[in-house]
Amino acid sequence: MSIPSDGEHAFIALNRFGLGARPGDKSPDDPKGWLLGQFETFEAKPAAMAELPSSDKIFTTYREDSAEIRSLSEAKRAEARQELRKRGQKLYDSEIGARGLSALTTQAPFVERLVHFWANHFALSADEPLMVALAGSFEREAIRPHVLGPFEDMLLAVEKHPAMLLYLNQNRSIGPNSIRAKRAAEKDPSRKPGINENLAREILELHTLGVRTGYSQKDVTQFAFAMTGWTVAGQDGGDEAQAGAFEFRPQFHEPGPRTILGRTYSQQGMDQAEAVLGDAAHSKATATHVATKLARHFVADEPPLALVKRLQSAFLQSQGDLPTVYRALISAPEAWTSKASKFKTPWEWSVSALRALGSPPDVTTTMAQTEKQLGQPVWRPQSPAGYDDIAASWVAPDVLVRRVEVAQRLARKADPTLDARAAASALLGPSLSKTTATEIARAESPATALALLLVSPEFQRR
């Protein structure tokens, strides 16, 4: 393991743990203290997000607009649907702009990085029109308020958020022996409402225990039975005051005890699934899963086993207290090696590039399009597993070409007085190689010099 100098520690804190340095940023004299201090300065509701609508407001507006479209003649519906999609896309762009602005201006870049990490851990995809509109509110409401709390609290907030319930079709899950199913059968014996296992499966496989950790198909089915009744209020179009919020519907719930992972849950109603989630949140498998992903995100694609064990132990001993796990990460020697092993994802790279250039806030209005060009559209992974956190997924030649194109565009818009040579030294510190320094010094124009800095091997790693 290479041991960094005291000077290198500051750059590691800024780049590996944080989101990249900004012009004029003072290197922290006490890097670990600087990171820990961000627990006090993080803003769960930053000013950039103050005017964005809540998820229940988004839901009710979408429901009203959809009802209005259904009342139109067939000839007018297509145009009205197109307008509805445009409004959803506008909100999606605004959400990403606010996310970007918070990342550029925050005084707690380490915690902002953790927000991005957890949003990808609990990934959903903004593919359907309503999900396009809800994706940003999911991160604002289910992730940000809980990033510095117990893992169990974040887990419950995520699984009860309307965006997650709708994304994984939990709102369609009805117990086959529930009151609702029996009434449906009385009216039409051919109708057999049933459960949807999507959310239960992803909770075990992706959100808590991890893949191949000993649970069976029977455990998934039993968990899905336990979750029946978890849905979103106001889907039927009634004038409900809580429309768009989490709702438990007893008439949807499958009666009876459930046995999951060898443990029997005799609770009834909503308490049953909450009890399962509580046990999953504190399990050893979840501790290992979370520890491995954090170590992979911050340190290496193949994380050191010793680091994983440190984080796992911190998770278990603190009963999932996330700040305790973060402190273990900050204090771990494996996290402070000189070698920058992590290749920045498109989002990480573009945020660090904008911070490096001191870009004005209006740049954030184009961030949604930029991330799409770079191959990592925000909140749109191809599966609930989220985006990969390894270099192999982001180093394809066409992806790198697009990164160069974006670097050139950003450099042309940058402050013309920004000196790339001074910026390279200030941003990269000891990791700046002679080769990169020479290329920047010999660039044919100031803008080209800045672009070379942004696509240099040192800048693309953290």
Side-chain angles (χ1 to χ4, degrees), residues 164-440:
M164 185 61 76
L165 293 167
L166 294 168
Y167 173 52
L168 292 174
N169 306 312
Q170 177 61 32
N171 57 315
R172 301 176 185 173
S173 190
I174 299 174
N177 297 301
S178 65
I179 295 172
R180 178 61 174 268
K182 290 179 178 177
R183 287 176 179 171
E186 289 173 0
K187 293 180 179 179
D188 182 356
S190 66
R191 290 190 60 192
K192 296 181 178 178
I195 59 169
N196 186 298
E197 298 182 348
N198 289 352
L199 183 57
R201 184 183 306 282
E202 303 306 1
I203 289 173
L204 296 179
E205 182 172 311
L206 301 174
H207 300 173
T208 58
L209 310 182
V211 181
R212 295 185 291 277
T213 48
Y215 61 86
S216 66
Q217 174 58 42
K218 185 178 180 180
D219 292 320
V220 172
T221 301
Q222 288 294 302
F223 190 15
F225 279 139
M227 294 203 76
T228 47
W230 287 42
T231 188
V232 181
Q235 295 181 88
D236 299 334
D239 185 21
E240 299 180 38
Q242 300 300 316
F246 169 79
E247 178 183 47
F248 178 74
R249 291 190 175 184
Q251 64 270 33
F252 284 18
H253 187 65
E254 178 74 1
R258 311 262 82 84
T259 298
I260 302 167
L261 293 167
R263 183 169 297 182
T264 299
Y265 296 87
S266 301
Q267 300 88 342
Q268 292 298 307
M270 186 171 70
D271 293 346
Q272 192 172 62
E274 284 191 336
V276 180
L277 285 168
D279 286 343
H282 294 96
S283 77
K284 185 176 181 180
T286 297
T288 304
H289 186 47
V290 169
T292 303
K293 291 191 71 172
L294 277 168
R296 177 177 295 125
H297 179 77
F298 281 95
V299 178
D301 292 357
E302 294 293 334
L305 182 58
L307 176 60
V308 172
K309 288 185 175 179
R310 288 176 197 274
L311 302 185
Q312 180 209 48
S313 177
F315 189 102
L316 289 172
Q317 290 181 12
S318 69
Q319 299 185 48
D321 179 63
L322 293 177
T324 300
V325 180
Y326 306 151
R327 291 188 190 96
L329 174 67
I330 292 170
S331 65
E334 297 88 352
W336 294 90
T337 57
S338 296
K339 183 180 180 182
S341 298
K342 293 299 296 184
F343 187 79
K344 295 177 182 176
T345 66
W347 170 260
E348 293 169 350
W349 175 80
S350 58
V351 167
S352 63
L354 290 169
R355 287 173 63 90
L357 298 177
S359 296
D362 60 357
V363 173
T364 59
T365 59
T366 59
M367 284 194 77
Q369 191 59 36
T370 298
E371 301 311 318
K372 183 179 180 181
Q373 179 183 353
L374 291 170
Q376 191 184 22
V378 180
W379 304 313
R380 283 178 171 163
Q382 295 300 305
S383 83
Y387 285 110
D388 286 345
D389 206 359
I390 57 175
S393 297
W394 306 112
V395 295
D398 63 321
V399 176
L400 296 180
V401 168
R402 280 178 269 163
R403 196 172 285 201
V404 171
E405 293 170 350
V406 172
Q408 292 171 331
R409 187 168 73 238
L410 295 178
R412 286 195 296 270
K413 293 181 179 179
D415 182 348
T417 65
L418 185 59
D419 185 340
R421 293 168 297 182
S425 178
L427 297 171
L428 301 175
S431 67
L432 177 63
S433 68
K434 290 183 179 179
T435 301
T436 295
T438 301
E439 290 178 348
I440 291 173

Side-chain angles (χ1 to χ4, degrees), residues 89-230:
Q89 183 66 39
K90 184 177 180 180
L91 175 57
Y92 171 81
D93 292 346
S94 297
E95 293 273 11
I96 294 172
R99 188 193 211 225
L101 184 56
S102 298
L104 298 187
T105 59
T106 181
Q107 297 302 308
F110 172 47
V111 187
E112 287 288 335
R113 171 179 290 285
L114 287 166
V115 169
H116 306 158
F117 167 83
W118 286 113
N120 194 54
H121 176 81
F122 294 109
L124 47 75
S125 191
D127 294 328
E128 300 297 326
L130 181 53
M131 292 305 302
V132 171
L134 283 172
S137 68
F138 170 74
E139 184 172 302
R140 286 187 284 114
E141 297 171 353
I143 303 296
R144 297 188 69 88
H146 302 288
V147 69
L148 295 175
F151 176 76
E152 182 178 3
D153 287 1
M154 186 189 293
L155 179 67
L156 285 170
V158 163
E159 312 308 351
K160 289 183 175 180
H161 196 276
M164 185 61 76
L165 293 167
L166 294 168
Y167 173 52
L168 292 174
N169 306 312
Q170 177 61 32
N171 57 315
R172 301 176 185 173
S173 190
I174 299 174
N177 297 301
S178 65
I179 295 172
R180 178 61 174 268
K182 290 179 178 177
R183 287 176 179 171
E186 289 173 0
K187 293 180 179 179
D188 182 356
S190 66
R191 290 190 60 192
K192 296 181 178 178
I195 59 169
N196 186 298
E197 298 182 348
N198 289 352
L199 183 57
R201 184 183 306 282
E202 303 306 1
I203 289 173
L204 296 179
E205 182 172 311
L206 301 174
H207 300 173
T208 58
L209 310 182
V211 181
R212 295 185 291 277
T213 48
Y215 61 86
S216 66
Q217 174 58 42
K218 185 178 180 180
D219 292 320
V220 172
T221 301
Q222 288 294 302
F223 190 15
F225 279 139
M227 294 203 76
T228 47
W230 287 42

